[in-house]
Amino acid sequence: MPDSPPIVFGNWKMNGRRTDAQALVQAILHGCGQPTTGTLGICPPATLLASAAEWLTESSIKLGGQDCAAEASGAFTGDISAPMLRDAGCGFTLVGHSERRHGHGESDALVKAKAEAAFEAGLNVVLCIGETEAEWDAGQTIQVLDRQLEQSLPAGVVADNLIIAYEPVWAIGTGKTPSMDDIANTHAHLKSKLASLSAVGGDLPILYGGSVKAANAGEILAIDHVDGALVGGASLKADEFLAIFQAGLEAKAG
Ligand code: PEP
């Protein structure tokens, strides 16, 4: 039986200026036309969001932030709030990306507060979780993911406002991925863990992220309970990003 069509989001991280970003968005739009099935989205840096919203006018491609503050406004120099993301044209935001958790010391409690602030502002959330290489090597992956879910799952989850992204920290930007069996086992575990934590938990999509590229996307996106991909580096090249989405469409069509 065919699975639900894939969700593929591109995280541009701290990359892109107006000229090259507009060319990238245009190349994505040109390459995919209007996706009529599946969900495609991009998360440019904050400086480009308002422009990207204009470039994407009348497109079904979704626009997201890479992070948001836990507060709605105030004396938080350098931070960007969820209402500001919404005002710039975003429909969703990432929270808890490993580069925030580990690069900026964000705790599970803070990630949870950010996700709740995003809901409050009417944004959907992609909640990122993942173990470090040391935790992976020590066989602690499930324990770490369970803790992250227990402590950062926001209140107010309904079936269509939250997506989980499982991203092993050691797979992000390294070219390394877990084996397909490992991804399958981890996603199966996450599915049942989410069902135990929330009435709608079993229905939440779970993306895989970490060195997804055109060459491995078909295999990864064919795995049960892998509902899509969060793509970093490969989302900066339109042909590569679209090839991942296409591989997902084919994998999910069965
Ligand atoms: C990411 O930043 O979320 C990510 C998965 O990066 P990459 O695809 O480059 O590993």
Side-chain angles (χ1 to χ4, degrees), residues 105 149 211 217:
L149 282 182
S211 296

Side-chain angles (χ1 to χ4, degrees), residues 39-241:
T39 304
L40 198 55
I42 57 170
C43 301
T47 50
L48 293 170
L49 287 172
S51 301
E54 283 175 24
W55 303 331
L56 291 174
T57 304
E58 291 177 31
S59 159
S60 59
I61 296 176
K62 314 249 182 246
L63 183 66
Q66 297 177 7
D67 181 43
C68 71
E71 299 80 10
S73 64
F76 302 99
T77 303
D79 289 346
I80 295 162
S81 73
M84 289 171 176
L85 292 180
R86 179 100 181 141
D87 188 47
C90 292
F92 75 98
T93 186
L94 311 181
V95 297
H97 191 278
S98 76
E99 286 150 22
R100 303 297 314 176
R101 287 181 185 265
H102 299 287
H104 294 260
E106 294 192 359
S107 65
D108 289 324
L110 179 59
V111 171
K112 177 178 181 187
K114 289 181 170 201
E116 289 172 355
F119 285 169
E120 187 71 26
L123 296 173
N124 292 339
V125 169
V126 178
L127 171 62
C128 305
I129 56 172
E131 81 288 353
T132 63
E133 185 148 37
E135 290 161 344
W136 167 265
D137 287 342
Q140 294 168 345
T141 297
I142 295 301
Q143 197 184 323
V144 169
L145 299 179
D146 282 359
R147 191 211 69 227
Q148 289 177 333
L149 282 182
E150 282 159 16
Q151 297 183 14
S152 55
L153 203 68
V157 179
V158 293
D160 59 0
N161 68 355
L162 184 68
I163 293 172
I164 304 298
Y166 166 54
E167 301 201 295
V169 179
W170 53 273
I172 295 181
T174 60
K176 296 192 272 185
T177 63
S179 71
M180 299 305 128
D181 280 352
D182 285 327
I183 295 175
N185 290 337
T186 304
H187 276 244
H189 172 80
L190 291 173
K191 194 88 188 158
S192 64
K193 179 69 183 174
L194 284 162
S196 76
L197 290 175
S198 158
V200 295
D203 299 328
L204 299 176
I206 309 173
L207 313 184
Y208 168 78
S211 296
V212 177
K213 49 191 180 199
N216 61 16
E219 203 180 2
I220 292 173
L221 291 165
I223 297 171
D224 269 358
H225 307 310
V226 175
D227 300 301
L230 181 55
V231 183
S235 71
L236 295 170
K237 293 187 191 131
D239 53 350
E240 186 81 8
F241 186 53

